[in-house]
Amino acid sequence: DTVFAHYPTPSGSVTFTPHTKDSVNVGGINRAAQIRIPMDLAFANTILALSGTTTLTDNDQFFQFFRGVYIQADAVAGSGSILYFDPLSSETKISIYYRNDASDSLSFSLSFGEKSARVNHFVHDYSGTQVQAALNDPGVGLYTCYLQGMSGVQTQIDFPYFKHLNDAGKISINQAELIVTLDTSANSMNPALISPSNLLLMKLDSLGNDLCLDEYTYSGSGLCAGVEKNASKPEYSYILNNHLQGVLNGTWTDHGLRLFVSGNAVNASRGVVGGGGITAAQGIKMKLKLTYTKI
């Protein structure tokens, strides 16, 4: 959610129609599909004027001079596109073309590497949408829940009465499976939308921070595993044995779970899933299938 300061006057711009499978001829050589944005010559002259100065001695000094580039898409009337660009590709760079004193045609490139910080920033406007209606009326979320990548909508799941399963005597959970089902009718309204292939489920602490569920922690990596959509059904399922047993045993205070699109910072997929309330349609209703033994 950080907004970065940048110069108001663009250094370059381009209007294009995406052809993601077409190669681009550069200097007589076919390159991978890309966009090439002509930049203001004043920028190139500024870089060339640094020749012989300490600013070009190493990356750290150059970063103090040149903080990076801010690339923004303009709003498009009618149908637009959502495109992915690879910042670590060898094709991603700023190329400066110039002549030396002998009038030789030369070029120099500023490359983006793994040490280059990069971030996506998305702004969403849900005014007049079903999402806005769900935010204004929590009851809507009992019927339908929304999920959107690009730092969009997430869904919180609560089990407010689960701890009372122990009221008649302690139980031992054999299996607890949460099943989340896509609303295919809603997702098919726009065929261009891609339903999430992978959804991530995480537990929340008392401050609302995300924590890995025990069942979905990659050993040593600190990353949580998402669950891929069932190949034969429009659903995702999560095993919650350890998490819910901890809630019953009192070793974990349940603050809810958060469900969101895996790769949320870059993934453009989105979907509608069924809620868990009694008003939810039976075919897409969110379910917790529980098998347990009374102790």
Side-chain angles (χ1 to χ4, degrees), residues 12-19 34-38 72-76:
S13 65
V14 66
T15 300
F16 69 100
T17 299
H19 297 285
Q34 57 189 264
I35 59 170
R36 301 175 68 85
I37 305 174
Q72 178 177 349
D74 289 335
V76 177

Side-chain angles (χ1 to χ4, degrees), residues 9-53:
T9 303
S11 296
S13 65
V14 66
T15 300
F16 69 100
T17 299
H19 297 285
T20 59
K21 297 184 183 299
D22 288 356
S23 60
V24 177
N25 190 285
V26 181
I29 301 174
N30 284 340
R31 303 287 187 180
Q34 57 189 264
I35 59 170
R36 301 175 68 85
I37 305 174
M39 297 183 68
D40 191 335
L41 292 183
F43 169 80
N45 289 327
T46 300
I47 300 298
L48 292 175
L50 297 174
S51 177
T53 68

